[in-house]
Every structure is written in C-alpha cells, then in structure tokens.
Amino acid sequence: MNRELIVRSSPEAVDFALLKDGKLTELHKEEESNNFTVGDILIAKVRKPVTGLNAAFVNVGYEKDAFLHYHDLGPQLSTMLKFVKKLSMGKLKDFTLKDFPFDKEIDKDGSINDVIKANQSLLVQIVKEPISTKGPRISSELSLAGRYLVMVPFSDRVSVSQKIESKEEKERLKRLVKSIKPKGFGVIIRTVAEGKKVAELDRDLQNLLTKWTVMCKKLYKAPHPSKVLVELNRASSILRDVFNDSFTGIYVDDETLYTEVKDYVQEIAPEKESIVKLYDSNVPIFEKFGIDRQIKTSFGRTASMSKGAYLIIEHTEALHVVDVNSGNRSNKAKNQEDTALEVNLLAASEIARQLRLRDMGGIIVVDFIDMSKPDHRRKLFDHLRDEMKDDRAKHKILPPSKFGLIQITRQRVRPEMNIKTSEENPNAPGQEVEAPIVLIEKINSDLEKLLKGPASDTGITLNIHPFIAAYITKGFPSIRSKWFLEHKKWVKIQPRDAYTYLEYRFKNKDGKTIY
C-alpha cells in the first residue's frame, strides 16, 4: 500500500491531499484567517457561568463566546486555576509540577457556579472549531499531543491506546512510560508507540515538556484573550497522526513549507527524510497527481463507484443521509441477493472514504440495498468496520436495522469540507450543471455497460458536441484508443453541432438511440 501526501500552497490557504494507492482519501485546508484550530491553547476570561446549562461562556476573541461545559473542566480545575494565577503574577519560576501542591478534585456532578466565577482567568484548549452559527467548543482539561505520547498536565494517570491489542505490549509501554514520566503529568500512549524503545518515547516526552515550559513563560502579563500555545501547522499535525512506514512520497510546491515538512520528518523519522520532495513544474501539483479530477467527481450530490453503482449523499441540519444504488449495471452474479451484497460491499468502502474526504460528522444514516440473509448483513457490517479502521475521528457503527439501515455517529471537530463542483451552464446562463469533467466518467460507465451487451456486436456510435468529440479523439493515446485497448471494440465518434456541451447519445448501426 502506497501513501502520499500532496501539499499545495496559495496566498489564502494551504491544501493537503492524502492519497492511498493514488486514490484521494483525505482533503484538508488550512486558511490563514483561521485563529481557532483544534489543539490551540489560549488564556481567556470567563464571561458568565450559566446554571441552567451547567456551563460557562468564555471570551476567546471570537465573535461568539466559546462554550465550556462543566464536564470539560477537568478534575484538577482548582489546581490549574491556582497555577495560572501564580504564573500570571510572576510568582512562579518552576514550571514543572513536581513540587506544586495539588488541591482536591472537583465533584464530577457539581455545579458550574461552585468552581468558576465571571471574569476569572483560565487556560482553555480548542476541542471543536467554530461550526455554522456556533462558537468554538473548549475544554480546560489540557493535553499536548506528540508523535508517540499525549501529555496531560495536572494528572498522574498513564493509559494506553485501545488499538494496541497485545496485553504484553501494553504492559511494556506502561512500565517504560512510568519510569520516565515527570510528576504531575499524566500520559496517554498513542497507537504508533507500539514497538518503540524508551529512548524514542523519552525524546517525545522531553519535546512536550519543552512546549509546556515555553507556554508557561508566555502567561506572565499575557493579554486576555490570547493564544499561548499553537498547534502544529496542518501538514505537521497530519504527519504526526498518520505518518507510517507505508508513506512513499511527500510532495510540496512551496519552498518554505517544504523546509518545515522536511525538518519535521527528519525529527520523527530520519530514515524517511528522502521521500520529502519539492515539486517544481509548470503543471499545477493537484493536476499532476490527478487530485483536481478526483475532487470534481467525489464532492457532488452523486458519488460514482465501479460497475455503474453510485451513492446519493444528502445533507440536512440534523443528519446526513446516504442512499446506495446499483444503477443498471450488468449482473454477473447468480442472483439478486449476491448482486446486492457485491454492491453493498463496494458502497461500504466508498462511504468510509467519503466520510473522511468530506469530514462528515454527527449522525450519518446509510440506506443499503436490502439483503435477506443474516450472514450477508453481518459480512457487510464487518466490512464497513474494517474500512473505517483508518479513520482518526471517533466513530461508532450500529448493526443493520430491520429496514437495512446502518447508523453511524462520527466526531465533528471542524466544519465539513464542502466543495462546489457544479458550474455555470454555458447553454443557459444563470443555471448550473455538474462539472464537465464528470461527463467523461459518465460516458465511460455507460459505454462499459453497452459494450458488454448485444448492441456491441452491431457497432456503437457516440453522438456528442464537437468540442467533447475533439477531446475524446485527439492526442496519443486518445480516450477512444484507450477504450479500444480495454474493450477490443472500436467506438465511432460523430460530432453533432446541434447538441449542447454536455449532451450525448449512443446509437446503433441503424441510427437508433440505444442509450
């Protein structure tokens, strides 16, 4: 399996595309104007506690106050408030917590009014970026994420990722981390720490302690609100979370970003430094790697799959709905039940990709094609779970209901990636049509069906607008040549001046429309 990270830079934003065997699986955008990134830590002031919500609204410098629920305060809130107060006044020079006295933990079922007051200073961390009409969601239970470890101040707990299955490995990692962990800091051991030596874990922990020290120094006389610890840029945070030995290439089209990424890879995996390459060509980087084409064909209301099947994705305020359609694909399977299973398994793989690609969160309801056999429903459920194993967002999948519906909940911490793929209709200004590049995908799909049917024996002619006809027949190898090499049948192209840009018809040798 090959994984590649493609980074495209522009004055307004930086785009990151994650490819798995050449297929686009994740797309991220880091905008210059975004001051509220998940993981950032700010010093802020409580605006007002609200008893009815058991929460407080906090001024973090956004147009709407951030929301801080009682359960997100952290058990050692009173210790943290005392620590912040001493730092702000310059009364604390030792930023480690080994000699700092811990207070009693707050009551887990207590009231917000008992623990924080209006105008109080506190450290908060962004856990959910502003989405739609809501301000950021924040927590005062801080965590600093590294490559192998996550450090949690004001805690002594050591825990291990549930994705590490070996009990012996869990115990080994716990034992190592307890031997190097500074007092007053808890540690969460990440999945990528599996098999790592104590020296690598200690280096990661020391880097996090350095970050903590730098942050604490900023707190003296810091204005409220202000950012005191910035999360890694999106390129580095993606690499921190997903980088592994299967990465074969990281391509960056900006020299400054290239240096940043190369330095970070050199730090976390020196042996892989050579895969970071500066892209320098007249062909735009996203076009060179086929990403622009994949974006156009993946972000519309309809998402195509192989063999004519497709998904319809609808978004509402409350949830996302996905409908699975088999299309009028040729049926090689023995019966309807086998066909339904085959299409559903294809759809499950594409749905897992779409959720990551669009960063869809909240409730997702999928209407798969009905299957009567319980073992087929179980096979589908297991396949969907396997396909979503790579998804870093927290998610839960429920087994198929009696109606064939599968419900998924997926954590949403950023606004959904929404790219407009429709374009203005050249034949009717003011109206929109789907992107012309999608047309070739549709023609390919329709042609594949026709060439497997009886019509192919008598010859097929494609009637199409002259511009599209030229696109299909010109160049070497042309699209038509590729059709011939793949299907061993020649398709005649007939330009039609009367057709609109996106109109096409397949006809037989007698001139009758067959599709």
Side-chain angles (χ1 to χ4, degrees):
M1 182 195 302
N2 291 334
R3 289 181 192 238
E4 293 169 308
L5 180 67
I6 315 300
V7 184
R8 177 179 68 180
S9 179
S10 69
E12 303 81 32
V14 181
D15 296 299
F16 308 93
L18 193 62
L19 302 182
K20 183 176 173 182
D21 291 331
K23 197 163 188 180
L24 183 63
T25 56
E26 288 188 37
L27 190 64
H28 301 274
K29 185 184 283 286
E30 186 178 69
E31 298 182 75
E32 295 295 321
S33 60
N34 186 13
N35 294 318
F36 301 94
T37 302
V38 172
D40 285 350
I41 297 177
L42 303 94
I43 182 74
K45 274 199 173 173
V46 177
R47 185 88 74 183
K48 58 177 178 181
V50 182
T51 310
L53 296 172
N54 205 20
F57 288 100
V58 180
N59 175 21
V60 293
Y62 187 65
E63 58 192 66
K64 293 199 173 181
D65 288 340
F67 184 79
L68 177 64
H69 194 273
Y70 185 87
H71 291 144
D72 294 323
L73 293 173
Q76 284 291 344
L77 175 74
S78 53
T79 306
M80 191 263 278
L81 290 173
K82 191 166 64 177
F83 184 78
V84 170
K85 188 175 181 180
K86 288 194 173 186
L87 282 177
S88 301
M89 296 168 69
K91 290 184 177 179
L92 201 63
K93 301 300 179 188
D94 180 10
F95 304 129
T96 65
L97 301 173
K98 62 181 178 181
D99 298 321
F100 196 82
F102 276 37
D103 288 352
K104 184 183 173 185
E105 292 186 1
I106 63 172
D107 183 0
K108 64 178 181 179
D109 296 316
S111 168
I112 195 85
N113 283 310
D114 296 336
V115 290
I116 57 176
K117 304 284 185 287
N119 292 319
Q120 196 164 23
S121 295
L122 76 164
L123 279 173
V124 295
Q125 188 165 30
I126 305 291
V127 295
K128 189 181 284 189
E129 292 175 14
I131 296 172
S132 186
T133 58
K134 299 172 184 174
R137 179 82 184 253
I138 56 176
S139 169
S140 58
E141 189 169 18
L142 310 179
S143 62
L144 283 72
R147 172 84 174 125
Y148 305 118
L149 308 170
V150 177
M151 191 174 77
V152 183
F154 310 106
S155 169
D156 271 316
R157 188 179 170 197
V158 175
S159 54
V160 188
S161 165
Q162 294 297 317
K163 290 184 180 178
I164 297 177
E165 294 175 356
S166 165
K167 190 177 177 183
E168 292 78 13
E169 179 63 5
K170 280 186 175 182
E171 289 301 321
R172 184 189 76 89
L173 288 169
K174 261 193 175 182
R175 193 170 60 253
L176 290 180
V177 168
K178 280 181 179 176
S179 69
I180 58 174
K181 181 187 77 66
K183 188 182 175 187
F185 292 91
V187 173
I188 301 166
I189 302 166
R190 306 185 73 176
T191 311
V192 286
E194 191 169 5
K196 299 300 174 188
K197 295 177 180 175
V198 68
E200 294 172 281
L201 301 178
D202 187 51
R203 193 185 317 123
D204 199 35
L205 191 58
Q206 293 307 317
N207 287 340
L208 294 175
L209 282 167
T210 303
K211 269 189 177 183
W212 170 256
T213 303
V214 170
M215 185 198 80
C216 290
K217 286 178 180 176
K218 287 183 182 177
L219 285 172
Y220 179 53
K221 292 185 178 178
H224 293 58
S226 67
K227 202 178 284 189
V228 290
L229 183 69
V230 181
E231 171 65 323
L232 290 170
N233 63 51
R234 192 63 62 87
S236 298
S237 66
I238 290 169
L239 286 171
R240 180 190 67 197
D241 294 340
V242 304
F243 188 85
N244 57 36
D245 292 337
S246 69
F247 265 75
T248 54
I250 301 169
Y251 300 88
V252 189
D253 68 351
D254 177 81
E255 200 160 348
T256 307
L257 256 177
Y258 162 75
T259 307
E260 283 180 22
V261 171
K262 195 175 178 72
D263 288 346
Y264 187 72
V265 172
Q266 205 278 329
E267 183 184 316
I268 63 171
E271 72 283 359
K272 285 280 190 178
E273 186 186 354
S274 60
I275 69 171
V276 184
K277 295 181 174 65
L278 179 64
Y279 179 82
D280 185 15
S281 169
N282 293 329
V283 180
I285 190 168
F286 269 26
E287 191 171 318
K288 171 71 175 176
F289 287 91
I291 296 165
D292 282 330
R293 173 183 287 272
Q294 291 191 58
I295 288 172
K296 294 266 187 179
T297 56
S298 299
F299 274 89
R301 177 175 173 266
T302 304
S304 299
M305 299 183 289
S306 60
K307 302 179 183 176
Y310 60 96
L311 304 176
I312 292 179
I313 303 170
E314 300 276 9
H315 307 274
T316 72
E317 190 66 27
L319 47 80
H320 306 280
V321 183
V322 183
D323 186 38
V324 178
N325 291 274
S326 60
N328 50 357
R329 60 196 285 280
S330 59
N331 182 12
K332 287 184 177 178
K334 294 176 184 177
N335 55 51
Q336 189 177 348
E337 181 75 12
D338 290 342
T339 305
L341 176 62
E342 186 184 354
V343 174
N344 283 339
L345 292 176
L346 272 174
S349 301
E350 182 61 20
I351 286 163
R353 172 178 169 258
Q354 286 287 339
L355 294 185
R356 291 175 67 189
L357 192 54
R358 302 181 188 220
D359 208 4
M360 290 161 62
I363 300 170
I364 301 110
V365 178
V366 186
D367 182 13
F368 284 100
I369 299 169
D370 288 347
M371 296 184 295
S372 56
K373 293 183 180 179
D375 59 320
H376 282 185
R377 291 198 292 271
R378 167 55 59 183
K379 190 173 181 180
L380 171 63
F381 178 60
D382 291 341
H383 180 70
L384 180 58
R385 281 200 308 183
D386 288 342
E387 288 292 309
M388 290 192 67
K389 273 183 180 173
D390 285 342
D391 197 332
R392 288 173 289 137
K394 290 179 185 174
H395 60 271
K396 188 172 184 180
I397 308 168
L398 297 182
S401 71
K402 290 180 181 179
F403 303 112
L405 303 176
I406 284 185
Q407 298 170 70
I408 305 167
T409 60
R410 187 174 182 272
Q411 182 186 32
R412 176 164 57 184
V413 296
R414 296 184 183 91
E416 183 185 331
M417 178 67 72
N418 188 14
I419 296 176
K420 186 180 176 185
T421 57
S422 57
E423 299 177 8
E424 187 173 336
N425 186 346
N427 305 294
Q431 295 180 13
E432 290 189 339
V433 291
E434 59 187 350
I437 202 165
V438 180
L439 179 72
I440 303 301
E441 304 286 333
K442 279 188 166 185
I443 292 172
N444 278 331
S445 177
D446 294 344
L447 186 64
E448 188 178 343
K449 285 177 252 177
L450 287 171
L451 289 175
K452 287 175 181 172
S456 63
D457 297 332
T458 58
I460 292 174
T461 301
L462 173 61
N463 286 229
I464 202 158
H465 187 278
F467 285 3
I468 309 297
Y471 179 73
I472 290 172
T473 55
K474 302 299 179 188
F476 183 80
S478 67
I479 291 173
R480 179 168 59 174
S481 303
K482 290 177 182 175
W483 290 343
F484 179 74
L485 291 171
E486 185 179 350
H487 303 290
K488 304 296 183 284
K489 288 176 182 174
W490 189 253
V491 179
K492 186 178 178 184
I493 306 294
Q494 184 70 57
R496 292 293 183 197
D497 293 342
Y499 278 23
T500 59
Y501 283 98
L502 306 181
E503 187 180 355
Y504 66 94
R505 299 278 187 279
F506 286 104
K507 301 200 172 187
N508 61 15
K509 65 171 185 176
D510 300 322
K512 288 184 179 177
T513 301
I514 52 176
Y515 201 84

